[in-house]
Every structure is written in structure tokens, then in C-alpha cells.
Amino acid sequence: MTSQDQAMAAPAAQDLSARFEHEFGSAPDGVWQAPGRVNLIGEHTDYNEGFVLPFAIDRTARVAVAARADSTVRLLSTYGDQGVVSTTLDTLQPGTAKGWTKYPLGVMWALRERGVAVPGLDLLLDSNVPLGAGLSSSHAIECAVVTALNDLTGAGLAAEDMVLATQRAENDFVGAPTGIMDQSASLRGAKGHAVFLDCRDQKANLVPFETEPAGLVLLVIDTKVSHSHADGGYASRRASCELGAEVLGVKALRDVGVADLEEAAGLLDEVTFRRVRHVVTENDRVLQTVELLGGAGPSAIGQMLDASHASMRDDFEISCPELDLAVDTSRAHGAIGARMTGGGFGGAAIALTPVDAEQAVRAAVVKAFADAGYRAPDIFTVSPAAGAMRVA
Ligand code: GLA
């Protein structure tokens, strides 16, 4: 099934409830959904206490959930690969879960670690967020589950607390040393807006971002190159940033400005300097992009996207040939700006494209991938959508 087809087959809440009842023998307590995200700009800045500008997309994970009176946990997904996975609350430990069940179980574990009285439960998952495309399909699941459990337990957690709980699930249960961007977009996103987030204090401002009135579309090009942030690349970039901050004597790279880079070059080894330069200039690009969106609007941000990609390709070194080809080909055929999005080493690129160049860009990228002998990419448009919510 292609992503286009998945979008067509967006999971309906009623269907999910009916399927839940069929599988588990009684109706769920409710259905909750949370979206994937696209990061417009601000990559690898979140764990440096910097700025990011992601948005929630119109692709969601949905969970139908019923609390149980005992400590049994039964999980089932419409992906259909694992059947019902049964476990108990008391045996939840990092490193014990497999496949997609890591995400709901990680959230349950993290909430229990915070002292939330998580009940045993039955859960059915459906999702049309493409898997492994760098659109945070895993955070979509986690955010749907944390929203459901916050409601069902009456824990009264604020969005900021749910962000930290899902980060704990990712870092300590799933084993991916990621920041807070993805879950912030999924939990705090709003239709027609990007989330301008200060990752130092979680202060968020919604910035209007609509491509249609500007005669643009935002294309996502899923390269089908799979990536995992539990692999070494992400962690090694994070370690370089921590080393850079330590040598420069700051709490986090957020505290280094573009004007400080010249001096930093003399203090850091060559590789660490380039990692630092990416983060410092990327923070600056986020701030400039927010300014531009508030002024001339989306048609003015192309250069920012291009500069961000070059910085990730050359300084942070987290791109790959497929992402570079997607970006370069889109630009050559009419996109006004393009960059890889997400953690890197695979996943998706975004291309901000005038409506009348959309077909040419799509065709050119498909042809370029075929000519290079790469897997056919999946190309689709996204727009900023609502954040996590209860839907039934
Ligand atoms: C992944 C992580 C985020 C962020 C990005 C890079 O998506 O989950 O926390 O670090 O990579 O910007």
C-alpha cells in the first residue's frame, strides 16, 4: 500500500471502535488520535535547548482503548504482523518490548515512573502515518497513548508534562536518545500553523503557515531509505554537540551565537566545529524563518530551507545520496526551497513548490530515482493539521 493509499484509508474512529469490540469482546472507553509531524526547519537543535519549527500533519495514529480492572495489557494493531501481544503492568521494563508495542508500553512505563496510576488495558492501534519515513510515526503512537491515558486516569498532565513523559519513553524504554520536538508538534500542533518551540523552556507560539494562499504546496518525498534513531548516528551527533558545549563552556549550544563561531573555530577540533556550526546557524535560521513567515509569508523562506539542507549535508553530515538527490532535483525543477526533514540518515525530504510546478517536480524526482537505480520514492503533500485529541 502506498502512502497515497494509506491517506485514502485514514482510520475512521467508528470503524476502529467496531473492530476493537470484535477483537476484545466489548466496546472501548474511547478513541484518541495524534498526528505525525514534518519539521519545517530547526534540525538537531531541540536537544541543544534551541529552536524548532515543526507542524502536525494530516496523518494520524489512532488508538481505541479500554481500561481493565486487572493488570493485564493486551495490544493489537491493524498492521496485523504480531497478533495480540499480552503482558502485565508489573513486568514492564526497558528492553523487554518488541516492534510497535515498544511505543505504547514505553508510555505506560514512563507514566508509572511519574507516579500516574496507569490501569491494565486493551488497546487497538491504527495509523496512516507512513512508517520509517521520518514523519514521527512512533511519536504519533506515543502521543495518542499518552493523551488517552491522561484522560482515562484523570492525571491532569499539561502538554509539557506529556512531552516529557513521551521523551522518557523514547530515551529510556525504546532506547532512542531523541529530543522533544516530535511529540511537541504532535501534542501542541494546530491546523494552519507551525509550532515555534523554544526547547529550553518549552514555550510555544503558533505561527501561521499555510501554503495554499501563497500558491504553494509542501511536498514530502519519502526516500524509502529507512533510519533508526536508536542506531549510532543520532547519538554520535548528540555527543559531538555535548562535547562542543563543554569545550566552549556553555550549558548548551543554544548559548552560542553566530558571532561566536569565529572564536569557537580556534577552540574546537575540525569535526566538532562543523557540528557546532550547524546547530548555531540552524537556530538562527529558525528565528529568521519565523520572521519571514510573519512578513512576506511562505514564499520568502525558500533560501532558509536550502541553507538548512546544505548545513546538514556538509557540516552535520546526516544526509544521504537519496535525500540529496530529492532536494537537488526538486530545486532544479521549480521548488523554491528544499531540505531533508527529521533526524536524517534516510527518511524524507520536503520541497516547497509552486502549485504549477508540482507535477514537474514529482515527475523529475521519480525519474531521477529510477535513473540512479534507487527505490521508487513516495511523494505526497502535507498541510498543518490539529494536534492530539479524543475523537470518540
Ligand atoms: C528526531 C528526534 C527529534 C529531533 C530530530 C532532529 O526526529 O526525535 O527529537 O532531534 O530528530 O531535529
mmCIF file of all heavy atoms in Angstrom, residues 30-63:
data_model
loop_
_atom_site.group_PDB
_atom_site.id
_atom_site.type_symbol
_atom_site.label_atom_id
_atom_site.label_comp_id
_atom_site.label_asym_id
_atom_site.label_seq_id
_atom_site.Cartn_x
_atom_site.Cartn_y
_atom_site.Cartn_z
ATOM 1 N N GLY A 30 -12.932 4.785 24.658
ATOM 2 C CA GLY A 30 -12.835 5.940 23.768
ATOM 3 C C GLY A 30 -11.806 5.689 22.675
ATOM 4 O O GLY A 30 -11.141 4.645 22.648
ATOM 5 N N VAL A 31 -11.715 6.650 21.755
ATOM 6 C CA VAL A 31 -10.715 6.600 20.687
ATOM 7 C C VAL A 31 -9.973 7.936 20.683
ATOM 8 O O VAL A 31 -10.592 8.990 20.750
ATOM 9 C CB VAL A 31 -11.363 6.359 19.298
ATOM 10 C CG1 VAL A 31 -10.301 6.342 18.197
ATOM 11 C CG2 VAL A 31 -12.165 5.058 19.281
ATOM 12 N N TRP A 32 -8.640 7.860 20.636
ATOM 13 C CA TRP A 32 -7.804 9.060 20.657
ATOM 14 C C TRP A 32 -6.889 9.036 19.440
ATOM 15 O O TRP A 32 -6.512 7.956 18.975
ATOM 16 C CB TRP A 32 -6.945 9.092 21.925
ATOM 17 C CG TRP A 32 -7.720 9.352 23.180
ATOM 18 C CD1 TRP A 32 -7.845 10.539 23.839
ATOM 19 C CD2 TRP A 32 -8.475 8.396 23.956
ATOM 20 N NE1 TRP A 32 -8.630 10.397 24.963
ATOM 21 C CE2 TRP A 32 -9.032 9.092 25.056
ATOM 22 C CE3 TRP A 32 -8.750 7.030 23.817
ATOM 23 C CZ2 TRP A 32 -9.825 8.464 26.010
ATOM 24 C CZ3 TRP A 32 -9.549 6.406 24.771
ATOM 25 C CH2 TRP A 32 -10.077 7.120 25.847
ATOM 26 N N GLN A 33 -6.543 10.218 18.948
ATOM 27 C CA GLN A 33 -5.626 10.260 17.809
ATOM 28 C C GLN A 33 -4.526 11.291 18.028
ATOM 29 O O GLN A 33 -4.703 12.258 18.770
ATOM 30 C CB GLN A 33 -6.365 10.578 16.509
ATOM 31 C CG GLN A 33 -6.805 12.030 16.391
ATOM 32 C CD GLN A 33 -7.424 12.332 15.032
ATOM 33 O OE1 GLN A 33 -8.028 11.454 14.408
ATOM 34 N NE2 GLN A 33 -7.278 13.567 14.575
ATOM 35 N N ALA A 34 -3.402 11.060 17.382
ATOM 36 C CA ALA A 34 -2.302 12.031 17.402
ATOM 37 C C ALA A 34 -1.589 11.967 16.053
ATOM 38 O O ALA A 34 -1.428 10.887 15.481
ATOM 39 C CB ALA A 34 -1.323 11.726 18.537
ATOM 40 N N PRO A 35 -1.176 13.139 15.550
ATOM 41 C CA PRO A 35 -0.575 13.193 14.221
ATOM 42 C C PRO A 35 0.917 12.935 14.194
ATOM 43 O O PRO A 35 1.616 13.089 15.205
ATOM 44 C CB PRO A 35 -0.850 14.649 13.796
ATOM 45 C CG PRO A 35 -0.848 15.414 15.085
ATOM 46 C CD PRO A 35 -1.390 14.477 16.139
ATOM 47 N N GLY A 36 1.425 12.598 13.003
ATOM 48 C CA GLY A 36 2.861 12.659 12.740
ATOM 49 C C GLY A 36 3.247 14.119 12.558
ATOM 50 O O GLY A 36 2.415 15.014 12.706
ATOM 51 N N ARG A 37 4.514 14.364 12.238
ATOM 52 C CA ARG A 37 4.935 15.758 12.052
ATOM 53 C C ARG A 37 5.919 15.892 10.899
ATOM 54 O O ARG A 37 6.589 14.934 10.510
ATOM 55 C CB ARG A 37 5.569 16.321 13.322
ATOM 56 C CG ARG A 37 6.891 15.649 13.740
ATOM 57 C CD ARG A 37 8.132 16.391 13.269
ATOM 58 N NE ARG A 37 9.353 15.642 13.522
ATOM 59 C CZ ARG A 37 9.920 14.823 12.673
ATOM 60 N NH1 ARG A 37 9.373 14.591 11.490
ATOM 61 N NH2 ARG A 37 11.037 14.183 12.969
ATOM 62 N N VAL A 38 5.932 17.111 10.355
ATOM 63 C CA VAL A 38 7.011 17.498 9.452
ATOM 64 C C VAL A 38 7.730 18.634 10.145
ATOM 65 O O VAL A 38 7.088 19.517 10.715
ATOM 66 C CB VAL A 38 6.462 17.960 8.076
ATOM 67 C CG1 VAL A 38 7.430 18.904 7.378
ATOM 68 C CG2 VAL A 38 6.178 16.751 7.192
ATOM 69 N N ASN A 39 9.038 18.610 10.138
ATOM 70 C CA ASN A 39 9.763 19.755 10.683
ATOM 71 C C ASN A 39 10.074 20.710 9.539
ATOM 72 O O ASN A 39 10.760 20.341 8.588
ATOM 73 C CB ASN A 39 11.056 19.308 11.368
ATOM 74 C CG ASN A 39 11.703 20.461 12.120
ATOM 75 O OD1 ASN A 39 11.056 21.480 12.375
ATOM 76 N ND2 ASN A 39 12.966 20.315 12.463
ATOM 77 N N LEU A 40 9.540 21.912 9.623
ATOM 78 C CA LEU A 40 9.789 22.899 8.571
ATOM 79 C C LEU A 40 11.253 23.324 8.609
ATOM 80 O O LEU A 40 11.920 23.376 7.584
ATOM 81 C CB LEU A 40 8.862 24.104 8.785
ATOM 82 C CG LEU A 40 8.728 25.092 7.641
ATOM 83 C CD1 LEU A 40 8.328 24.414 6.349
ATOM 84 C CD2 LEU A 40 7.711 26.172 8.014
ATOM 85 N N ILE A 41 11.742 23.605 9.808
ATOM 86 C CA ILE A 41 13.166 23.944 9.952
ATOM 87 C C ILE A 41 13.554 23.880 11.437
ATOM 88 O O ILE A 41 12.694 24.033 12.310
ATOM 89 C CB ILE A 41 13.470 25.329 9.330
ATOM 90 C CG1 ILE A 41 14.983 25.519 9.117
ATOM 91 C CG2 ILE A 41 12.877 26.472 10.159
ATOM 92 C CD1 ILE A 41 15.329 26.595 8.092
ATOM 93 N N GLY A 42 14.849 23.655 11.681
ATOM 94 C CA GLY A 42 15.340 23.561 13.064
ATOM 95 C C GLY A 42 15.646 22.108 13.372
ATOM 96 O O GLY A 42 14.934 21.440 14.109
ATOM 97 N N GLU A 43 16.761 21.613 12.782
ATOM 98 C CA GLU A 43 17.063 20.181 12.904
ATOM 99 C C GLU A 43 18.254 19.951 13.836
ATOM 100 O O GLU A 43 19.276 20.633 13.709
ATOM 101 C CB GLU A 43 17.367 19.633 11.514
ATOM 102 C CG GLU A 43 16.743 18.309 11.220
ATOM 103 C CD GLU A 43 15.216 18.344 11.166
ATOM 104 O OE1 GLU A 43 14.652 18.666 10.113
ATOM 105 O OE2 GLU A 43 14.595 18.020 12.197
ATOM 106 N N HIS A 44 18.076 19.010 14.747
ATOM 107 C CA HIS A 44 19.090 18.687 15.770
ATOM 108 C C HIS A 44 19.385 19.891 16.666
ATOM 109 O O HIS A 44 20.468 20.015 17.222
ATOM 110 C CB HIS A 44 20.366 18.117 15.138
ATOM 111 C CG HIS A 44 20.169 16.716 14.618
ATOM 112 N ND1 HIS A 44 20.549 15.598 15.318
ATOM 113 C CD2 HIS A 44 19.583 16.271 13.479
ATOM 114 C CE1 HIS A 44 20.225 14.515 14.617
ATOM 115 N NE2 HIS A 44 19.631 14.901 13.505
ATOM 116 N N THR A 45 18.421 20.762 16.758
ATOM 117 C CA THR A 45 18.535 21.908 17.667
ATOM 118 C C THR A 45 17.804 21.630 18.976
ATOM 119 O O THR A 45 18.088 22.263 19.984
ATOM 120 C CB THR A 45 17.941 23.171 17.018
ATOM 121 O OG1 THR A 45 16.704 22.820 16.410
ATOM 122 C CG2 THR A 45 18.880 23.741 15.966
ATOM 123 N N ASP A 46 16.843 20.676 18.959
ATOM 124 C CA ASP A 46 15.996 20.517 20.167
ATOM 125 C C ASP A 46 16.802 20.075 21.385
ATOM 126 O O ASP A 46 16.679 20.654 22.461
ATOM 127 C CB ASP A 46 14.764 19.622 19.909
ATOM 128 C CG ASP A 46 15.043 18.203 19.479
ATOM 129 O OD1 ASP A 46 16.220 17.858 19.191
ATOM 130 O OD2 ASP A 46 14.074 17.406 19.422
ATOM 131 N N TYR A 47 17.686 19.076 21.213
ATOM 132 C CA TYR A 47 18.451 18.613 22.383
ATOM 133 C C TYR A 47 19.612 19.549 22.715
ATOM 134 O O TYR A 47 20.350 19.304 23.655
ATOM 135 C CB TYR A 47 18.915 17.164 22.200
ATOM 136 C CG TYR A 47 19.720 16.907 20.944
ATOM 137 C CD1 TYR A 47 21.064 17.238 20.866
ATOM 138 C CD2 TYR A 47 19.122 16.334 19.826
ATOM 139 C CE1 TYR A 47 21.801 17.005 19.721
ATOM 140 C CE2 TYR A 47 19.843 16.103 18.671
ATOM 141 C CZ TYR A 47 21.181 16.435 18.624
ATOM 142 O OH TYR A 47 21.903 16.204 17.475
ATOM 143 N N ASN A 48 19.760 20.612 21.931
ATOM 144 C CA ASN A 48 20.729 21.664 22.265
ATOM 145 C C ASN A 48 20.021 22.874 22.880
ATOM 146 O O ASN A 48 20.567 23.979 22.895
ATOM 147 C CB ASN A 48 21.505 22.067 21.012
ATOM 148 C CG ASN A 48 22.457 20.969 20.575
ATOM 149 O OD1 ASN A 48 23.369 20.618 21.318
ATOM 150 N ND2 ASN A 48 22.231 20.395 19.401
ATOM 151 N N GLU A 49 18.787 22.632 23.350
ATOM 152 C CA GLU A 49 17.968 23.656 24.013
ATOM 153 C C GLU A 49 17.696 24.848 23.100
ATOM 154 O O GLU A 49 17.575 25.986 23.553
ATOM 155 C CB GLU A 49 18.612 24.101 25.340
ATOM 156 C CG GLU A 49 18.782 22.944 26.304
ATOM 157 C CD GLU A 49 19.259 23.346 27.697
ATOM 158 O OE1 GLU A 49 19.298 24.556 27.995
ATOM 159 O OE2 GLU A 49 19.580 22.440 28.477
ATOM 160 N N GLY A 50 17.635 24.570 21.791
ATOM 161 C CA GLY A 50 17.442 25.635 20.807
ATOM 162 C C GLY A 50 16.002 25.736 20.327
ATOM 163 O O GLY A 50 15.053 25.443 21.054
ATOM 164 N N PHE A 51 15.865 26.155 19.044
ATOM 165 C CA PHE A 51 14.545 26.451 18.476
ATOM 166 C C PHE A 51 14.198 25.450 17.369
ATOM 167 O O PHE A 51 15.077 25.033 16.614
ATOM 168 C CB PHE A 51 14.548 27.861 17.887
ATOM 169 C CG PHE A 51 14.947 28.915 18.875
ATOM 170 C CD1 PHE A 51 16.198 29.519 18.796
ATOM 171 C CD2 PHE A 51 14.083 29.283 19.901
ATOM 172 C CE1 PHE A 51 16.575 30.475 19.718
ATOM 173 C CE2 PHE A 51 14.457 30.243 20.824
ATOM 174 C CZ PHE A 51 15.711 30.840 20.740
ATOM 175 N N VAL A 52 12.915 25.144 17.276
ATOM 176 C CA VAL A 52 12.426 24.289 16.188
ATOM 177 C C VAL A 52 11.107 24.857 15.663
ATOM 178 O O VAL A 52 10.438 25.621 16.364
ATOM 179 C CB VAL A 52 12.200 22.823 16.645
ATOM 180 C CG1 VAL A 52 13.515 22.134 16.961
ATOM 181 C CG2 VAL A 52 11.272 22.754 17.857
ATOM 182 N N LEU A 53 10.760 24.470 14.431
ATOM 183 C CA LEU A 53 9.516 24.967 13.829
ATOM 184 C C LEU A 53 8.796 23.844 13.071
ATOM 185 O O LEU A 53 8.680 23.878 11.848
ATOM 186 C CB LEU A 53 9.848 26.141 12.894
ATOM 187 C CG LEU A 53 8.690 26.972 12.347
ATOM 188 C CD1 LEU A 53 7.890 27.634 13.453
ATOM 189 C CD2 LEU A 53 9.207 28.027 11.371
ATOM 190 N N PRO A 54 8.346 22.834 13.797
ATOM 191 C CA PRO A 54 7.641 21.724 13.134
ATOM 192 C C PRO A 54 6.134 21.998 13.047
ATOM 193 O O PRO A 54 5.648 22.963 13.650
ATOM 194 C CB PRO A 54 7.885 20.567 14.098
ATOM 195 C CG PRO A 54 7.878 21.235 15.446
ATOM 196 C CD PRO A 54 8.467 22.619 15.245
ATOM 197 N N PHE A 55 5.439 21.150 12.302
ATOM 198 C CA PHE A 55 3.970 21.201 12.366
ATOM 199 C C PHE A 55 3.393 19.797 12.351
ATOM 200 O O PHE A 55 4.011 18.858 11.836
ATOM 201 C CB PHE A 55 3.371 22.092 11.270
ATOM 202 C CG PHE A 55 3.657 21.661 9.855
ATOM 203 C CD1 PHE A 55 2.863 20.739 9.203
ATOM 204 C CD2 PHE A 55 4.735 22.221 9.161
ATOM 205 C CE1 PHE A 55 3.122 20.362 7.895
ATOM 206 C CE2 PHE A 55 5.004 21.848 7.846
ATOM 207 C CZ PHE A 55 4.198 20.919 7.218
ATOM 208 N N ALA A 56 2.217 19.685 12.955
ATOM 209 C CA ALA A 56 1.482 18.414 12.944
ATOM 210 C C ALA A 56 0.907 18.226 11.548
ATOM 211 O O ALA A 56 0.468 19.195 10.928
ATOM 212 C CB ALA A 56 0.360 18.469 13.973
ATOM 213 N N ILE A 57 0.932 17.000 11.042
ATOM 214 C CA ILE A 57 0.435 16.764 9.680
ATOM 215 C C ILE A 57 -0.903 16.021 9.704
ATOM 216 O O ILE A 57 -1.319 15.492 10.731
ATOM 217 C CB ILE A 57 1.453 15.983 8.820
ATOM 218 C CG1 ILE A 57 1.785 14.617 9.441
ATOM 219 C CG2 ILE A 57 2.706 16.809 8.605
ATOM 220 C CD1 ILE A 57 2.643 13.729 8.553
ATOM 221 N N ASP A 58 -1.521 16.003 8.536
ATOM 222 C CA ASP A 58 -2.838 15.384 8.417
ATOM 223 C C ASP A 58 -2.728 13.867 8.209
ATOM 224 O O ASP A 58 -3.376 13.290 7.341
ATOM 225 C CB ASP A 58 -3.631 16.063 7.283
ATOM 226 C CG ASP A 58 -2.776 16.341 6.050
ATOM 227 O OD1 ASP A 58 -1.547 16.073 6.097
ATOM 228 O OD2 ASP A 58 -3.319 16.822 5.047
ATOM 229 N N ARG A 59 -1.875 13.251 8.968
ATOM 230 C CA ARG A 59 -1.733 11.783 9.030
ATOM 231 C C ARG A 59 -1.679 11.443 10.508
ATOM 232 O O ARG A 59 -0.868 12.030 11.229
ATOM 233 C CB ARG A 59 -0.409 11.324 8.407
ATOM 234 C CG ARG A 59 -0.189 11.747 6.973
ATOM 235 C CD ARG A 59 -1.180 11.050 6.091
ATOM 236 N NE ARG A 59 -0.899 11.282 4.697
ATOM 237 C CZ ARG A 59 -0.316 10.400 3.889
ATOM 238 N NH1 ARG A 59 0.076 9.235 4.355
ATOM 239 N NH2 ARG A 59 -0.139 10.670 2.631
ATOM 240 N N THR A 60 -2.513 10.505 10.958
ATOM 241 C CA THR A 60 -2.609 10.275 12.398
ATOM 242 C C THR A 60 -2.509 8.800 12.777
ATOM 243 O O THR A 60 -2.831 7.913 11.995
ATOM 244 C CB THR A 60 -3.956 10.786 12.956
ATOM 245 O OG1 THR A 60 -5.006 10.093 12.288
ATOM 246 C CG2 THR A 60 -4.116 12.277 12.765
ATOM 247 N N ALA A 61 -2.078 8.603 14.028
ATOM 248 C CA ALA A 61 -2.219 7.294 14.668
ATOM 249 C C ALA A 61 -3.474 7.379 15.530
ATOM 250 O O ALA A 61 -3.727 8.413 16.160
ATOM 251 C CB ALA A 61 -1.008 7.001 15.535
ATOM 252 N N ARG A 62 -4.277 6.319 15.530
ATOM 253 C CA ARG A 62 -5.465 6.280 16.386
ATOM 254 C C ARG A 62 -5.404 5.069 17.296
ATOM 255 O O ARG A 62 -5.005 3.984 16.840
ATOM 256 C CB ARG A 62 -6.731 6.193 15.541
ATOM 257 C CG ARG A 62 -7.112 7.539 14.997
ATOM 258 C CD ARG A 62 -8.482 7.556 14.409
ATOM 259 N NE ARG A 62 -8.792 8.940 14.061
ATOM 260 C CZ ARG A 62 -9.726 9.308 13.220
ATOM 261 N NH1 ARG A 62 -10.484 8.405 12.632
ATOM 262 N NH2 ARG A 62 -9.936 10.585 12.963
ATOM 263 N N VAL A 63 -5.826 5.264 18.538
ATOM 264 C CA VAL A 63 -5.910 4.124 19.449
ATOM 265 C C VAL A 63 -7.296 4.055 20.075
ATOM 266 O O VAL A 63 -7.831 5.061 20.534
ATOM 267 C CB VAL A 63 -4.843 4.177 20.578
ATOM 268 C CG1 VAL A 63 -3.447 3.938 20.004
ATOM 269 C CG2 VAL A 63 -4.880 5.473 21.369
#
